[in-house]
PDB file of all heavy atoms in Angstrom:
ATOM      1  N   ARG V 224       6.307  90.156  70.422  1.00 96.00           N
ATOM      2  CA  ARG V 224       6.929  90.404  71.710  1.00 96.00           C
ATOM      3  C   ARG V 224       5.971  91.155  72.591  1.00 96.00           C
ATOM      4  O   ARG V 224       5.141  91.976  72.106  1.00 96.00           O
ATOM      5  CB  ARG V 224       8.273  91.118  71.531  1.00 96.00           C
ATOM      6  CG  ARG V 224       8.121  92.547  70.986  1.00 96.00           C
ATOM      7  CD  ARG V 224       9.518  93.111  70.711  1.00 96.00           C
ATOM      8  NE  ARG V 224      10.343  93.266  71.878  1.00 96.00           N
ATOM      9  CZ  ARG V 224      11.640  93.350  71.930  1.00 96.00           C
ATOM     10  NH1 ARG V 224      12.297  93.388  70.812  1.00 96.00           N
ATOM     11  NH2 ARG V 224      12.243  93.489  73.048  1.00 96.00           N
ATOM     12  N   ASP V 225       6.088  90.931  73.892  1.00 95.00           N
ATOM     13  CA  ASP V 225       5.352  91.678  74.899  1.00 95.00           C
ATOM     14  C   ASP V 225       6.360  92.223  75.884  1.00 95.00           C
ATOM     15  O   ASP V 225       6.875  91.512  76.762  1.00 95.00           O
ATOM     16  CB  ASP V 225       4.332  90.761  75.559  1.00 95.00           C
ATOM     17  CG  ASP V 225       3.409  91.456  76.523  1.00 95.00           C
ATOM     18  OD1 ASP V 225       3.815  92.572  76.979  1.00 95.00           O
ATOM     19  OD2 ASP V 225       2.304  90.942  76.812  1.00 95.00           O
ATOM     20  N   ASN V 226       6.630  93.515  75.704  1.00 94.00           N
ATOM     21  CA  ASN V 226       7.718  94.094  76.542  1.00 94.00           C
ATOM     22  C   ASN V 226       7.236  94.235  78.026  1.00 94.00           C
ATOM     23  O   ASN V 226       8.069  94.270  78.924  1.00 94.00           O
ATOM     24  CB  ASN V 226       8.064  95.481  76.039  1.00 94.00           C
ATOM     25  CG  ASN V 226       8.848  95.386  74.735  1.00 94.00           C
ATOM     26  OD1 ASN V 226       9.498  94.360  74.450  1.00 94.00           O
ATOM     27  ND2 ASN V 226       8.796  96.438  73.920  1.00 94.00           N
ATOM     28  N   ALA V 227       5.930  94.288  78.236  1.00 94.00           N
ATOM     29  CA  ALA V 227       5.441  94.385  79.660  1.00 94.00           C
ATOM     30  C   ALA V 227       5.621  93.044  80.412  1.00 94.00           C
ATOM     31  O   ALA V 227       5.774  93.063  81.621  1.00 94.00           O
ATOM     32  CB  ALA V 227       3.962  94.760  79.624  1.00 94.00           C
ATOM     33  N   LYS V 228       5.632  91.942  79.641  1.00 95.00           N
ATOM     34  CA  LYS V 228       5.816  90.609  80.267  1.00 95.00           C
ATOM     35  C   LYS V 228       7.178  90.022  80.002  1.00 95.00           C
ATOM     36  O   LYS V 228       7.467  88.926  80.438  1.00 95.00           O
ATOM     37  CB  LYS V 228       4.707  89.678  79.731  1.00 95.00           C
ATOM     38  CG  LYS V 228       3.316  90.121  80.087  1.00 95.00           C
ATOM     39  CD  LYS V 228       2.280  89.054  79.591  1.00 95.00           C
ATOM     40  CE  LYS V 228       0.891  89.487  79.939  1.00 95.00           C
ATOM     41  NZ  LYS V 228      -0.125  88.548  79.408  1.00 95.00           N
ATOM     42  N   ASN V 229       8.018  90.753  79.337  1.00 96.00           N
ATOM     43  CA  ASN V 229       9.372  90.238  78.998  1.00 96.00           C
ATOM     44  C   ASN V 229       9.297  88.892  78.253  1.00 96.00           C
ATOM     45  O   ASN V 229      10.033  87.917  78.608  1.00 96.00           O
ATOM     46  CB  ASN V 229      10.249  90.081  80.232  1.00 96.00           C
ATOM     47  CG  ASN V 229      10.873  91.409  80.719  1.00 96.00           C
ATOM     48  OD1 ASN V 229      10.368  92.488  80.368  1.00 96.00           O
ATOM     49  ND2 ASN V 229      11.941  91.329  81.464  1.00 96.00           N
ATOM     50  N   THR V 230       8.477  88.810  77.288  1.00 97.00           N
ATOM     51  CA  THR V 230       8.291  87.546  76.566  1.00 97.00           C
ATOM     52  C   THR V 230       8.348  87.800  75.026  1.00 97.00           C
ATOM     53  O   THR V 230       7.945  88.848  74.543  1.00 97.00           O
ATOM     54  CB  THR V 230       6.984  86.862  76.868  1.00 97.00           C
ATOM     55  OG1 THR V 230       5.881  87.713  76.605  1.00 97.00           O
ATOM     56  CG2 THR V 230       6.938  86.420  78.350  1.00 97.00           C
ATOM     57  N   VAL V 231       8.790  86.787  74.325  1.00 97.00           N
ATOM     58  CA  VAL V 231       8.715  86.728  72.904  1.00 97.00           C
ATOM     59  C   VAL V 231       8.088  85.399  72.506  1.00 97.00           C
ATOM     60  O   VAL V 231       8.352  84.430  73.125  1.00 97.00           O
ATOM     61  CB  VAL V 231      10.096  86.883  72.234  1.00 97.00           C
ATOM     62  CG1 VAL V 231      11.110  85.848  72.712  1.00 97.00           C
ATOM     63  CG2 VAL V 231      10.021  86.921  70.752  1.00 97.00           C
ATOM     64  N   THR V 232       7.186  85.451  71.520  1.00 98.00           N
ATOM     65  CA  THR V 232       6.390  84.314  71.153  1.00 98.00           C
ATOM     66  C   THR V 232       6.567  83.988  69.660  1.00 98.00           C
ATOM     67  O   THR V 232       6.765  84.881  68.831  1.00 98.00           O
ATOM     68  CB  THR V 232       4.953  84.573  71.469  1.00 98.00           C
ATOM     69  OG1 THR V 232       4.768  84.874  72.866  1.00 98.00           O
ATOM     70  CG2 THR V 232       4.016  83.448  71.055  1.00 98.00           C
ATOM     71  N   LEU V 233       6.544  82.715  69.395  1.00 98.00           N
ATOM     72  CA  LEU V 233       6.572  82.239  67.985  1.00 98.00           C
ATOM     73  C   LEU V 233       5.353  81.412  67.773  1.00 98.00           C
ATOM     74  O   LEU V 233       5.248  80.273  68.316  1.00 98.00           O
ATOM     75  CB  LEU V 233       7.836  81.439  67.704  1.00 98.00           C
ATOM     76  CG  LEU V 233       8.022  81.024  66.244  1.00 98.00           C
ATOM     77  CD1 LEU V 233       8.292  82.276  65.372  1.00 98.00           C
ATOM     78  CD2 LEU V 233       9.156  80.010  66.084  1.00 98.00           C
ATOM     79  N   GLN V 234       4.386  81.886  67.010  1.00 98.00           N
ATOM     80  CA  GLN V 234       3.239  81.164  66.630  1.00 98.00           C
ATOM     81  C   GLN V 234       3.551  80.400  65.336  1.00 98.00           C
ATOM     82  O   GLN V 234       3.857  81.009  64.337  1.00 98.00           O
ATOM     83  CB  GLN V 234       2.019  82.067  66.399  1.00 98.00           C
ATOM     84  CG  GLN V 234       0.731  81.353  65.972  1.00 98.00           C
ATOM     85  CD  GLN V 234       0.189  80.427  67.010  1.00 98.00           C
ATOM     86  OE1 GLN V 234       0.149  80.755  68.226  1.00 98.00           O
ATOM     87  NE2 GLN V 234      -0.189  79.205  66.620  1.00 98.00           N
ATOM     88  N   MET V 235       3.382  79.116  65.397  1.00 98.00           N
ATOM     89  CA  MET V 235       3.738  78.246  64.245  1.00 98.00           C
ATOM     90  C   MET V 235       2.511  77.536  63.751  1.00 98.00           C
ATOM     91  O   MET V 235       1.938  76.721  64.480  1.00 98.00           O
ATOM     92  CB  MET V 235       4.836  77.287  64.636  1.00 98.00           C
ATOM     93  CG  MET V 235       6.083  77.854  65.234  1.00 98.00           C
ATOM     94  SD  MET V 235       7.395  76.705  65.574  1.00 98.00           S
ATOM     95  CE  MET V 235       6.632  75.658  66.825  1.00 98.00           C
ATOM     96  N   ASN V 236       2.118  77.859  62.526  1.00 98.00           N
ATOM     97  CA  ASN V 236       0.940  77.214  61.932  1.00 98.00           C
ATOM     98  C   ASN V 236       1.370  76.352  60.713  1.00 98.00           C
ATOM     99  O   ASN V 236       2.464  76.567  60.181  1.00 98.00           O
ATOM    100  CB  ASN V 236      -0.067  78.303  61.484  1.00 98.00           C
ATOM    101  CG  ASN V 236      -0.598  79.141  62.627  1.00 98.00           C
ATOM    102  OD1 ASN V 236      -0.731  78.607  63.816  1.00 98.00           O
ATOM    103  ND2 ASN V 236      -0.932  80.334  62.367  1.00 98.00           N
ATOM    104  N   SER V 237       0.473  75.554  60.265  1.00 98.00           N
ATOM    105  CA  SER V 237       0.703  74.673  59.071  1.00 98.00           C
ATOM    106  C   SER V 237       2.090  73.989  59.188  1.00 98.00           C
ATOM    107  O   SER V 237       2.871  74.024  58.221  1.00 98.00           O
ATOM    108  CB  SER V 237       0.633  75.551  57.812  1.00 98.00           C
ATOM    109  OG  SER V 237      -0.607  76.133  57.694  1.00 98.00           O
ATOM    110  N   LEU V 238       2.333  73.407  60.317  1.00 98.00           N
ATOM    111  CA  LEU V 238       3.637  72.797  60.557  1.00 98.00           C
ATOM    112  C   LEU V 238       3.911  71.618  59.598  1.00 98.00           C
ATOM    113  O   LEU V 238       2.967  70.900  59.226  1.00 98.00           O
ATOM    114  CB  LEU V 238       3.708  72.340  62.016  1.00 98.00           C
ATOM    115  CG  LEU V 238       4.025  73.423  62.997  1.00 98.00           C
ATOM    116  CD1 LEU V 238       3.667  73.030  64.397  1.00 98.00           C
ATOM    117  CD2 LEU V 238       5.488  73.866  62.946  1.00 98.00           C
ATOM    118  N   GLN V 239       5.147  71.537  59.209  1.00 97.00           N
ATOM    119  CA  GLN V 239       5.566  70.474  58.263  1.00 97.00           C
ATOM    120  C   GLN V 239       6.609  69.609  58.896  1.00 97.00           C
ATOM    121  O   GLN V 239       7.263  69.998  59.880  1.00 97.00           O
ATOM    122  CB  GLN V 239       6.128  71.161  57.024  1.00 97.00           C
ATOM    123  CG  GLN V 239       5.199  72.135  56.311  1.00 97.00           C
ATOM    124  CD  GLN V 239       5.876  72.971  55.282  1.00 97.00           C
ATOM    125  OE1 GLN V 239       7.132  72.891  55.055  1.00 97.00           O
ATOM    126  NE2 GLN V 239       5.065  73.763  54.516  1.00 97.00           N
ATOM    127  N   TYR V 240       6.823  68.468  58.350  1.00 97.00           N
ATOM    128  CA  TYR V 240       7.825  67.504  58.876  1.00 97.00           C
ATOM    129  C   TYR V 240       9.175  68.150  59.018  1.00 97.00           C
ATOM    130  O   TYR V 240       9.881  67.960  59.976  1.00 97.00           O
ATOM    131  CB  TYR V 240       7.868  66.273  57.997  1.00 97.00           C
ATOM    132  CG  TYR V 240       8.906  65.251  58.478  1.00 97.00           C
ATOM    133  CD1 TYR V 240       8.700  64.453  59.556  1.00 97.00           C
ATOM    134  CD2 TYR V 240      10.137  65.158  57.784  1.00 97.00           C
ATOM    135  CE1 TYR V 240       9.651  63.495  59.946  1.00 97.00           C
ATOM    136  CE2 TYR V 240      11.107  64.285  58.188  1.00 97.00           C
ATOM    137  CZ  TYR V 240      10.836  63.443  59.261  1.00 97.00           C
ATOM    138  OH  TYR V 240      11.818  62.592  59.633  1.00 97.00           O
ATOM    139  N   ASP V 241       9.510  68.963  57.965  1.00 96.00           N
ATOM    140  CA  ASP V 241      10.853  69.607  58.009  1.00 96.00           C
ATOM    141  C   ASP V 241      11.001  70.734  59.034  1.00 96.00           C
ATOM    142  O   ASP V 241      12.086  71.286  59.169  1.00 96.00           O
ATOM    143  CB  ASP V 241      11.137  70.224  56.602  1.00 96.00           C
ATOM    144  CG  ASP V 241      11.413  69.170  55.551  1.00 96.00           C
ATOM    145  OD1 ASP V 241      11.615  67.949  55.953  1.00 96.00           O
ATOM    146  OD2 ASP V 241      11.365  69.441  54.309  1.00 96.00           O
ATOM    147  N   ASP V 242       9.928  71.060  59.745  1.00 98.00           N
ATOM    148  CA  ASP V 242      10.056  71.991  60.831  1.00 98.00           C
ATOM    149  C   ASP V 242      10.544  71.354  62.125  1.00 98.00           C
ATOM    150  O   ASP V 242      10.809  72.018  63.117  1.00 98.00           O
ATOM    151  CB  ASP V 242       8.684  72.645  61.123  1.00 98.00           C
ATOM    152  CG  ASP V 242       8.179  73.512  60.011  1.00 98.00           C
ATOM    153  OD1 ASP V 242       9.008  74.241  59.410  1.00 98.00           O
ATOM    154  OD2 ASP V 242       6.991  73.471  59.681  1.00 98.00           O
ATOM    155  N   THR V 243      10.730  70.021  62.111  1.00 98.00           N
ATOM    156  CA  THR V 243      11.209  69.299  63.289  1.00 98.00           C
ATOM    157  C   THR V 243      12.631  69.744  63.575  1.00 98.00           C
ATOM    158  O   THR V 243      13.521  69.708  62.750  1.00 98.00           O
ATOM    159  CB  THR V 243      11.196  67.779  63.008  1.00 98.00           C
ATOM    160  OG1 THR V 243       9.827  67.356  62.813  1.00 98.00           O
ATOM    161  CG2 THR V 243      11.818  66.998  64.178  1.00 98.00           C
ATOM    162  N   ALA V 244      12.850  70.174  64.778  1.00 98.00           N
ATOM    163  CA  ALA V 244      14.138  70.737  65.212  1.00 98.00           C
ATOM    164  C   ALA V 244      14.082  71.133  66.672  1.00 98.00           C
ATOM    165  O   ALA V 244      12.987  71.147  67.290  1.00 98.00           O
ATOM    166  CB  ALA V 244      14.512  71.905  64.419  1.00 98.00           C
ATOM    167  N   VAL V 245      15.238  71.460  67.242  1.00 98.00           N
ATOM    168  CA  VAL V 245      15.290  72.142  68.511  1.00 98.00           C
ATOM    169  C   VAL V 245      15.229  73.653  68.238  1.00 98.00           C
ATOM    170  O   VAL V 245      15.985  74.153  67.417  1.00 98.00           O
ATOM    171  CB  VAL V 245      16.556  71.772  69.316  1.00 98.00           C
ATOM    172  CG1 VAL V 245      16.585  72.578  70.592  1.00 98.00           C
ATOM    173  CG2 VAL V 245      16.602  70.254  69.549  1.00 98.00           C
ATOM    174  N   TYR V 246      14.330  74.327  68.872  1.00 98.00           N
ATOM    175  CA  TYR V 246      14.098  75.767  68.687  1.00 98.00           C
ATOM    176  C   TYR V 246      14.712  76.511  69.861  1.00 98.00           C
ATOM    177  O   TYR V 246      14.487  76.197  71.008  1.00 98.00           O
ATOM    178  CB  TYR V 246      12.623  76.042  68.565  1.00 98.00           C
ATOM    179  CG  TYR V 246      12.072  75.674  67.203  1.00 98.00           C
ATOM    180  CD1 TYR V 246      11.935  74.333  66.850  1.00 98.00           C
ATOM    181  CD2 TYR V 246      11.722  76.693  66.229  1.00 98.00           C
ATOM    182  CE1 TYR V 246      11.432  73.968  65.620  1.00 98.00           C
ATOM    183  CE2 TYR V 246      11.205  76.272  64.998  1.00 98.00           C
ATOM    184  CZ  TYR V 246      11.079  74.960  64.678  1.00 98.00           C
ATOM    185  OH  TYR V 246      10.606  74.579  63.457  1.00 98.00           O
ATOM    186  N   TYR V 247      15.468  77.561  69.469  1.00 98.00           N
ATOM    187  CA  TYR V 247      16.166  78.350  70.499  1.00 98.00           C
ATOM    188  C   TYR V 247      15.723  79.786  70.385  1.00 98.00           C
ATOM    189  O   TYR V 247      15.570  80.352  69.315  1.00 98.00           O
ATOM    190  CB  TYR V 247      17.712  78.319  70.258  1.00 98.00           C
ATOM    191  CG  TYR V 247      18.345  76.982  70.306  1.00 98.00           C
ATOM    192  CD1 TYR V 247      18.402  76.165  69.248  1.00 98.00           C
ATOM    193  CD2 TYR V 247      18.811  76.541  71.543  1.00 98.00           C
ATOM    194  CE1 TYR V 247      18.991  74.905  69.345  1.00 98.00           C
ATOM    195  CE2 TYR V 247      19.407  75.277  71.648  1.00 98.00           C
ATOM    196  CZ  TYR V 247      19.503  74.477  70.524  1.00 98.00           C
ATOM    197  OH  TYR V 247      20.085  73.291  70.636  1.00 98.00           O
ATOM    198  N   CYS V 248      15.520  80.362  71.555  1.00 98.00           N
ATOM    199  CA  CYS V 248      15.264  81.799  71.694  1.00 98.00           C
ATOM    200  C   CYS V 248      16.589  82.503  71.915  1.00 98.00           C
ATOM    201  O   CYS V 248      17.491  81.948  72.671  1.00 98.00           O
ATOM    202  CB  CYS V 248      14.313  81.995  72.860  1.00 98.00           C
ATOM    203  SG  CYS V 248      14.098  83.698  73.401  1.00 98.00           S
ATOM    204  N   ALA V 249      16.780  83.691  71.380  1.00 98.00           N
ATOM    205  CA  ALA V 249      18.033  84.417  71.543  1.00 98.00           C
ATOM    206  C   ALA V 249      17.783  85.911  71.680  1.00 98.00           C
ATOM    207  O   ALA V 249      16.802  86.422  71.158  1.00 98.00           O
ATOM    208  CB  ALA V 249      18.940  84.138  70.350  1.00 98.00           C
ATOM    209  N   ALA V 250      18.647  86.548  72.390  1.00 97.00           N
ATOM    210  CA  ALA V 250      18.555  87.993  72.628  1.00 97.00           C
ATOM    211  C   ALA V 250      19.825  88.705  72.159  1.00 97.00           C
ATOM    212  O   ALA V 250      20.966  88.237  72.439  1.00 97.00           O
ATOM    213  CB  ALA V 250      18.331  88.284  74.121  1.00 97.00           C
ATOM    214  N   ASP V 251      19.644  89.782  71.445  1.00 96.00           N
ATOM    215  CA  ASP V 251      20.735  90.698  71.042  1.00 96.00           C
ATOM    216  C   ASP V 251      20.641  91.922  71.877  1.00 96.00           C
ATOM    217  O   ASP V 251      19.846  92.809  71.633  1.00 96.00           O
ATOM    218  CB  ASP V 251      20.604  90.974  69.562  1.00 96.00           C
ATOM    219  CG  ASP V 251      21.550  92.059  69.035  1.00 96.00           C
ATOM    220  OD1 ASP V 251      22.482  92.414  69.814  1.00 96.00           O
ATOM    221  OD2 ASP V 251      21.423  92.514  67.947  1.00 96.00           O
ATOM    222  N   THR V 252      21.521  92.030  72.889  1.00 95.00           N
ATOM    223  CA  THR V 252      21.425  93.146  73.856  1.00 95.00           C
ATOM    224  C   THR V 252      22.047  94.420  73.279  1.00 95.00           C
ATOM    225  O   THR V 252      22.006  95.470  73.900  1.00 95.00           O
ATOM    226  CB  THR V 252      22.090  92.766  75.156  1.00 95.00           C
ATOM    227  OG1 THR V 252      23.435  92.466  74.950  1.00 95.00           O
ATOM    228  CG2 THR V 252      21.328  91.611  75.809  1.00 95.00           C
ATOM    229  N   ASN V 253      22.686  94.343  72.077  1.00 93.00           N
ATOM    230  CA  ASN V 253      23.236  95.533  71.438  1.00 93.00           C
ATOM    231  C   ASN V 253      22.336  95.995  70.268  1.00 93.00           C
ATOM    232  O   ASN V 253      22.801  96.775  69.405  1.00 93.00           O
ATOM    233  CB  ASN V 253      24.610  95.235  70.914  1.00 93.00           C
ATOM    234  CG  ASN V 253      25.547  94.893  72.058  1.00 93.00           C
ATOM    235  OD1 ASN V 253      25.775  95.701  72.992  1.00 93.00           O
ATOM    236  ND2 ASN V 253      26.135  93.709  72.058  1.00 93.00           N
ATOM    237  N   SER V 254      21.121  95.515  70.238  1.00 90.00           N
ATOM    238  CA  SER V 254      20.227  95.756  69.125  1.00 90.00           C
ATOM    239  C   SER V 254      19.961  97.188  68.907  1.00 90.00           C
ATOM    240  O   SER V 254      19.671  97.610  67.749  1.00 90.00           O
ATOM    241  CB  SER V 254      18.912  94.959  69.355  1.00 90.00           C
ATOM    242  OG  SER V 254      18.031  95.180  68.267  1.00 90.00           O
ATOM    243  N   ILE V 255      19.992  98.039  69.941  1.00 89.00           N
ATOM    244  CA  ILE V 255      19.673  99.455  69.756  1.00 89.00           C
ATOM    245  C   ILE V 255      20.657 100.179  68.878  1.00 89.00           C
ATOM    246  O   ILE V 255      20.399 101.278  68.421  1.00 89.00           O
ATOM    247  CB  ILE V 255      19.535 100.186  71.133  1.00 89.00           C
ATOM    248  CG1 ILE V 255      20.850 100.057  71.935  1.00 89.00           C
ATOM    249  CG2 ILE V 255      18.339  99.636  71.915  1.00 89.00           C
ATOM    250  CD1 ILE V 255      20.820 100.892  73.188  1.00 89.00           C
ATOM    251  N   TYR V 256      21.798  99.561  68.665  1.00 88.00           N
ATOM    252  CA  TYR V 256      22.805 100.142  67.779  1.00 88.00           C
ATOM    253  C   TYR V 256      22.712  99.723  66.355  1.00 88.00           C
ATOM    254  O   TYR V 256      23.494 100.077  65.468  1.00 88.00           O
ATOM    255  CB  TYR V 256      24.220  99.824  68.308  1.00 88.00           C
ATOM    256  CG  TYR V 256      24.416 100.251  69.731  1.00 88.00           C
ATOM    257  CD1 TYR V 256      24.551  99.345  70.763  1.00 88.00           C
ATOM    258  CD2 TYR V 256      24.495 101.601  70.105  1.00 88.00           C
ATOM    259  CE1 TYR V 256      24.727  99.716  72.076  1.00 88.00           C
ATOM    260  CE2 TYR V 256      24.646 102.005  71.423  1.00 88.00           C
ATOM    261  CZ  TYR V 256      24.776 101.042  72.388  1.00 88.00           C
ATOM    262  OH  TYR V 256      24.940 101.436  73.708  1.00 88.00           O
TER     263      TYR V 256
END
């Protein structure tokens, strides 16, 4: 994550056929608890 840019990144290496999917980003705004 880069808090200065408000971004989260997923680097995916050695991808396999079974990695095929729709990928979703999600935020937990109560995480500080």
Side-chain angles (χ1 to χ4, degrees):
R224 65 187 297 160
D225 186 336
N226 290 336
K228 296 181 179 179
N229 279 22
T230 58
V231 58
T232 300
L233 184 69
Q234 177 66 43
M235 305 186 294
N236 298 328
S237 301
L238 282 161
Q239 304 168 356
Y240 177 76
D241 288 346
D242 294 320
T243 297
V245 177
Y246 284 70
Y247 299 89
C248 170
D251 171 9
T252 61
N253 297 300
S254 180
I255 57 173
Y256 304 110

